[in-house]
Amino acid sequence: MSELIASPILNGPYEPPARHFEVGPHGPTGEVKVGRRPSESFIPIASARKGRKPPQGATQESIDFDLTGERRERNSLINDLRRDVDLWRQRGYNGVTPTSRKLLDHWADPSREDRMLFCQREAAETAIFLAEVAGRHGYRDWRREIDDQNASHNSGLPRVALKMATGSGKTVVMAMLIAWQTLNKVQTPKDARFSKRFLVITPGITIRDRLRVLFPGDGGNYYDARDLIPPDLKGPLHQAQIIVTNYHSFLLKDAKEIKGVSSTTRKLLRGGKKVDNFRETPDAMAARVLRDFGAGKGEVVVFNDEAHHCYQDKPIEGLSKEQKDANEDARVWFKGVQAVARKVGVKAVYDLSATPFYLGGSGYNEGYIFPWTVSDFSLMDAIESGIVKIPRTPIDDDAAGELVTYLNLWAHVGEHLPKRRTAATANLEGWIPPPELEGALNSLYRSYQRAFEPWEKDLREHGETPPVFIVVCPNTVVSKLVYDWIAGVAVTRDDGTVIHKPGKLALFDNSEDGTPLARPRTILVDSAELESGNALKPDFKKDAAGEIAAFKAEYRRRDPGADVDKLTDEDLLREVMNTVGKKGKLGEDVRCVVSVAMLTEGWDANTVTHILGIRAFRSQLLCEQVVGRGLRRRSYAINDDGRFDPEYSNVYGIPFAFIPSDRPTPDLTPKAPAITVCSVEDREGLRIEFPKLDGYRLEIPDEELIFDTSAVRRFQIEPGAVPTWTESAGIVGESEMSTDRDLGAVRDQEVAFALARRLLTAHFNIDRENPRPWLFPALIKICRQWLAECVDTSGGFTTGNLLGFAQWQAHAAEQIHAAITVQQGARRERLRPMLRRFDPVGSTDGVWFLTRKAVTATEKSHVSHVTLDGKDGNTWEQILALECELNADVAAYVKNDHLGFTIPYVHKGRSHAYLPDFLLRLRRLPDEEFDRTLIVEVSGGQKSPGSTQVKADTARHSWCAAVNNHGGFGRWGYVEIRSMVGVRELLAESISNLYADDAVIGDPSLLDFNEVKRGA
């Protein structure tokens, strides 16, 4: 059980994080670790702690973190690239242009009055490193890996994602990158790495309007306000050409001639053609979006703000309307960027988001991080550096139910609230909230009162704006009901007079003594409608008529010369919403915002202290997006320790998908001590390797290769003109000996591998797109034969010396190639594995996790224990483990738990990953140099039938066949155990069948392993 943490701020905001809380499988251990937190795809937050009292001495501001038990996956690209960027930073930014060096030094200057947050520097530094340094000066070329991911996910668009927690300053990073690109392009116009034309794309109007700060000529621009540019470089910055638009501008527009024409008439005018001649083409749309660039030429740099909205989805069936709408929006955004690339060219696309994850319904695993993400400053990093507020969620209550009621509020109230489609017929007069909703509103309001009192007492007189309470509703019907309940409603009496019925929450009431306030304390907004730029629906404008009229009157009072009639209701409400918490603006007095769907991204009010979610939250992305509305800090004052003081936001009704609080809270008293399951160091001989597959493909193999030794001359390996060692010395002092590796100890297998690789690349590679890797096993066999039958050595040389002389290798490969002939065969289709490009092989190395499940200790496994599934353990798995320990043919085995071994399969049109139960590596037969591995599934009555048959068929007929056809991973088989009766005999039969296939791995005549024997 983790300890409560009084203050999670461990680091200053301006330097690289030097400490972090250790997070174990059950939350922080209370131990502070030295060093940077690795990038992982999870975010720990406060957990439900129902029925437990806080430790003695814990304060209300204490926060208890816990993890969900969800799988934690390290983001290897980010972590590895981060190390290179750290090294480059320590070396003083070597390898960049003089202009870039000047900017980097300016941003890193610790004596600056307005210092850059480290997270902002790191994001910009990573982008600059990739563009100017990667692949040079001894650094790895990370661009190749990113290019491969973009080819797979983005149709080749050059995207780079920078992950930054909400409130950590993404707009500042955009300004930094614009300055870097522009100033370099002005300095060296012919340098193709840079551009001075920028297209900034946002998900809505709010962010678009707020990003005026990116224009160097704007009065409040960030270059001046944040001192981003050294004084001598400011002039050239004005050559930047910047367009800021929301993605809705990528929608293809109708021609003026067709507007107002009915759909039937439109179809007739099209004459049955698929192409709509009355709608602009993508090329015309791109020209319209880019018209402010004028006649100039040159590629553009694209910034996708809140880039998780922009992805190339994979169409799948059975989606909800919300998922379909999200995919359609993403499609418009993505295709818009593609159109721009075709029109003028795109030099780079920089994605900025706190949550660059695929959504559910996108065709990818929900929560899967965009694989082109190159830097990560997570929510946990931001909390530990004090850059954002800390979300506090309900962790305990005294309700009779098993759930913490106000955490997953929707589960209690969702079916009791009116739906949008039933609004016309429902009688909503005198509406009373469900008890759980009323309780949540009152409970969170009481917390708000405690935050309001110090503001009213100490801050109000100094012009500070009040704390803000926001409510997120599922539809306009619920939002109107909640708004009226909170803020009151106008009631018409029988005599025609109108009075204002007071709301239930006094500090949010929009009236006093029955008279509406001139400045409403509570506002009702439909942010989705406001963001799209569409006119508000008539019923919503009617619902908000009172506040619209009040704000118009206030607008006239503040600006007597303004023509308020030219200000649309939409413009007015957007201005109010965008200025909540801002001194001297229309929204400065707002205390409560009731929103439909959720408040717009980019809404940068920093006075939010309370958030109530009254809607379904089905994804981590949605939860963090909504909570992010309340995470911007109010104060950036540094304390005596060089850190920010903690600030908090209280959150009800938003259950993060990765914590277990949306399920009945278990009894948290441990029933058994936690067991550490890990790879055992002195059991390296029990190691099991396995391939990692993304899928399968069919191919027609080349003709069979035949090696004729009778046509080969003897090949002599003997001393020649090239030395194997060299000694160097000066006039005095010690000499230095330079010696080649001990080639005499090299095995023939390694030499054959090197020769086969040279043969494949130099003589059998048709083109770069068709390297024909399936020939490799046959070539290795031929090279082995050549070494054994056609090579002579003398003078102390061995076949290993071939590896020391490229010229000898070339001559050998030519000789072998000359003796290879081809034989036409049946050339049947073969199933081949699609290996993961950058992570093709897994093993039992590095397993480490804690479990409270039942376990059984092992002796013949590289991993210390077999973890038994099920509430009280799985007796079948325990029996199988015992059989493996006793079976003489099983050299090693492992339970497939935390290994990363999966079998991809498709069921009902969707991709899934199957985790079989055990891997058994068999003892090798005499003179064998490959392994046989049996995959064992323990299923039957203990597992739901579901897709069990599909999994088994895929494992047998696709995975094993493809891997065996590859030839480089030994021989694999599969057995499914559906009963423990006769399990020993079934296991022995399966092992015997796998031994019965005594094919030499790599023999092309025996690679068609599609006929799988029973039980193997």
Side-chain angles (χ1 to χ4, degrees), residues 979-991:
S979 171
M980 284 292 110
V981 177
V983 64
R984 181 171 299 178
E985 292 74 18
L986 177 59
L987 190 61
E989 181 187 4
S990 301
I991 292 172

Side-chain angles (χ1 to χ4, degrees), residues 36 39-40 75-83 85 89 118-128 130 146 160-165 173 177 350-357 369-378 381:
R36 180 78 180 272
S39 174
E40 294 181 314
N75 299 321
S76 57
L77 169 62
I78 296 172
N79 290 319
D80 293 344
L81 176 54
R82 180 186 286 171
R83 283 190 285 270
V85 173
R89 186 186 304 117
F118 171 75
C119 58
Q120 297 166 343
R121 286 173 48 205
E122 181 181 48
E125 287 170 352
T126 304
I128 295 171
L130 289 171
I146 298 166
V160 168
L162 306 172
K163 181 174 180 287
M164 298 179 66
V173 174
L177 295 179
Y350 293 108
D351 295 338
L352 292 105
S353 172
T355 50
F357 307 129
I369 194 171
F370 288 169
W372 58 95
T373 307
V374 297
S375 72
D376 176 17
F377 201 84
S378 67
D381 291 324

